[in-house]
Amino acid sequence: NLIRLVHQATGTSIVRGPSDEEVEMFKARPQVFGTPLLFPPNRIADGRYVFEGRTYQYPITIPAENNYHHGIIKSQPFHVTNTLIDEGYVQVELSYFSNAYNNSIFIDFPHEFVCKQVFHLSDGGMLQTVSFTNLSTLNMPLGVGYHTAINIPFTPEGNPADYTLRMSAGDA
């Protein structure tokens, strides 16, 4: 989870990161800070779906709606598996390995896989990519999303009323 991205020349903070007082809240609810990876994304009705005849069941996290939401990977520890620093850019690769021995995810999603996130920062901006490698013998259902928390206003002297968000949803 990328929890701090600042334009240093202006002090502009792009994503919402936890303050010192919010670290415990970040640990409990990482989806409200930065760019957390959601796998699977969105809400899953009854915490259950069927893929290729196999039923996947997740714990209910929104009892009032009987839904599971925000994914199984957002709170898992990733390990730095590669770094590159060159003239004009820095790149960090982080990996999460899911298997029967690391069963915090495997218990609800019984597939061995590797999830890699790569953060590439240069003068041109930040590029964040994610890849999954299925190491199990069965096809693995895959859907990912991000729950990006943009810091509005960007600067302490900014006014939230100066910002407008426009997006299309559905058939719009």
Side-chain angles (χ1 to χ4, degrees):
N1 187 348
L2 174 71
I3 59 168
R4 186 161 163 84
L5 181 61
V6 175
H7 183 263
Q8 289 189 339
T10 62
T12 303
S13 182
I14 308 301
V15 297
R16 179 179 182 226
S19 66
D20 290 345
E21 296 78 31
E22 294 173 314
V23 170
E24 291 307 313
M25 182 168 68
F26 166 64
K27 290 177 183 177
R29 300 186 65 222
Q31 68 271 12
V32 300
F33 296 99
T35 61
L37 177 64
L38 306 184
F39 166 70
N42 217 332
R43 288 170 168 77
I44 299 173
D46 303 322
R48 179 182 317 115
Y49 63 90
V50 177
F51 176 77
E52 293 186 346
R54 297 182 307 275
T55 299
Y56 293 81
Q57 179 69 55
Y58 301 94
I60 300 300
T61 55
I62 308 175
E65 299 173 11
N66 202 41
N67 287 332
Y68 173 77
H69 78 308
H70 288 140
I72 53 180
I73 206 166
K74 69 183 180 303
S75 299
Q76 299 307 310
F78 279 67
H79 300 281
V80 175
T81 49
N82 196 8
T83 58
L84 295 171
I85 300 173
D86 204 342
E87 189 174 321
Y89 76 91
V90 62
Q91 181 172 295
V92 178
E93 176 187 271
L94 304 152
S95 299
Y96 176 79
F97 303 89
S98 178
N99 56 54
Y101 304 102
N102 183 17
N103 79 351
S104 54
I105 286 179
F106 196 85
I107 196 164
D108 296 322
F109 190 78
H111 292 277
E112 292 192 8
F113 68 87
V114 177
C115 173
K116 289 186 181 180
Q117 293 193 80
V118 177
F119 298 91
H120 182 99
L121 180 63
S122 70
D123 289 341
M126 169 64 77
L127 176 64
Q128 181 178 356
T129 59
V130 63
S131 65
F132 283 78
T133 303
N134 181 5
L135 303 175
S136 64
T137 58
L138 300 172
N139 289 332
M140 180 177 96
L142 180 64
V144 296
Y146 290 95
H147 198 273
T148 304
I150 298 173
N151 194 35
I152 303 291
F154 290 145
T155 60
E157 62 277 357
N159 181 352
D162 293 338
Y163 295 81
T164 302
L165 174 65
R166 290 186 180 107
M167 67 172 51
S168 61
D171 295 330

